[in-house]
Amino acid sequence: MNSTLIFQGKPQITTAIAGTDALFPVHRIFCVGRNYHAHAAEMGVSVDKTTQEPFYFTKHPSTLIPTGSEIEYPPQTGNYHYEMEFVVAIGKEGFNVCETDADDLIFGYAAGLDMTRRDLQLKARETGRPWDLGKDFEQSAVITPIVPKAQTGIVETGAVELAVNGETRQKSDITKLIWNVREIIAHLSKFYHLQPGDLIYTGTPDGVGAVEPGDRITGFVEGVGEISLIIAKG
Ligand code: MN
């Protein structure tokens, strides 16, 4: 039997790869929560790596939006936050990967913004409900072109910075990740069969804050990418 689609489905979500016209087909977006001590503290929690495990939330691939975009202030929030993040792009499948093999799964790296409706996230947190409305919404995953690992080598250090209207708000370094990229890949791959096309937003440093219509966000992960996002005037 030859079935037909009742309507045209959405095309494969892709993101750019630096220095080539080739595209990276996106499968899933995993985001690490509370992965810098100073950010956990500003959110009113502490992280003890000896007794706690990393945790994750996800964003649908359709939430991706390229750097350089101008977007509307999102609906149903009055506290729309930026989170500057180092992003890892997975290029090989892996399940129960050991830390020593984790680097093999990496295709490349990007800089990203985990845009957040903080009021909705905190309301969900307080009531023990899922974070989806605060995190997984349209245009909430901003990303630069992916730089292949073949060009950068394994990235383990590098400044992570963000400015709003030219004023620095976040300033940290990848070395301050509580769980580093190898540890995250090893841990996450216990729960999921990691696939080529998966993206991992590794968490944000401290200094998160709100933006308003008309604001311009700029930021970078040193050696990886520069990001910009304009919030349209209301
Ligand atoms: Mn985040």
Side-chain angles (χ1 to χ4, degrees):
M1 187 175 145
N2 210 354
S3 298
T4 57
L5 298 171
I6 58 160
F7 54 82
Q8 186 65 48
K10 299 295 183 193
Q12 167 73 52
I13 303 289
T14 61
T15 193
I17 301 172
T20 170
D21 290 337
L23 296 169
F24 183 87
V26 178
H27 182 230
R28 290 173 293 195
I29 305 175
F30 297 103
C31 304
V32 185
R34 296 174 199 157
N35 204 14
Y36 289 83
H37 285 296
H39 171 62
E42 74 182 350
M43 295 299 289
V45 289
S46 63
V47 180
D48 180 351
K49 195 178 175 181
T50 63
T51 58
Q52 291 175 281
E53 292 187 26
F55 72 94
Y56 311 93
F57 55 89
T58 58
K59 295 193 188 224
H60 192 269
S62 64
T63 63
L64 276 173
I65 180 158
T67 182
S69 298
E70 175 170 332
I71 65 175
E72 298 294 319
Y73 193 90
Q76 298 295 325
T77 184
N79 197 15
Y80 178 43
H81 275 212
Y82 54 80
E83 294 191 357
M84 183 72 214
E85 307 205 3
F86 175 49
V87 180
V88 177
I90 300 296
K92 284 184 186 168
E93 62 180 38
F95 182 61
N96 282 325
V97 178
C98 11
E99 285 176 34
T100 48
D101 295 335
D103 289 345
D104 293 342
L105 268 65
I106 298 171
F107 170 76
Y109 305 98
L113 294 171
D114 164 18
M115 298 304 292
T116 299
R117 292 191 283 213
R118 189 73 71 201
D119 41 2
L120 300 189
Q121 182 207 6
L122 293 180
K123 195 169 158 189
R125 197 178 87 173
E126 283 155 19
T127 50
R129 290 176 178 164
W131 287 8
D132 298 47
L133 294 180
K135 288 291 195 178
D136 184 13
F137 59 97
E138 293 152 11
Q139 302 182 316
S140 68
V142 188
I143 194 162
T144 65
I146 296 168
V147 184
K149 179 181 72 175
Q151 287 173 38
T152 57
I154 296 298
V155 176
E156 296 179 274
T157 66
V160 179
E161 294 194 23
L162 177 141
V164 178
N165 303 325
E167 185 179 310
T168 300
R169 300 286 183 84
Q170 294 190 280
K171 189 175 172 63
S172 190
D173 196 284
I174 295 167
T175 53
K176 293 186 178 174
L177 285 168
I178 298 173
W179 286 277
N180 66 32
V181 170
R182 290 188 190 102
E183 291 169 322
I184 289 294
I185 288 174
H187 185 264
L188 187 58
S189 75
K190 293 187 205 177
F191 297 88
Y192 297 93
H193 294 74
L194 292 179
Q195 298 290 315
D198 288 340
L199 296 173
I200 305 172
Y201 281 59
T202 58
T204 194
D206 61 311
V208 301
V211 285
E212 303 292 340
D215 282 346
R216 178 165 190 266
I217 298 171
T218 51
F220 65 88
V221 176
E222 184 182 0
V224 170
E226 290 185 24
I227 208 159
S228 72
L229 182 72
I230 292 171
I231 318 304
K233 288 192 172 124

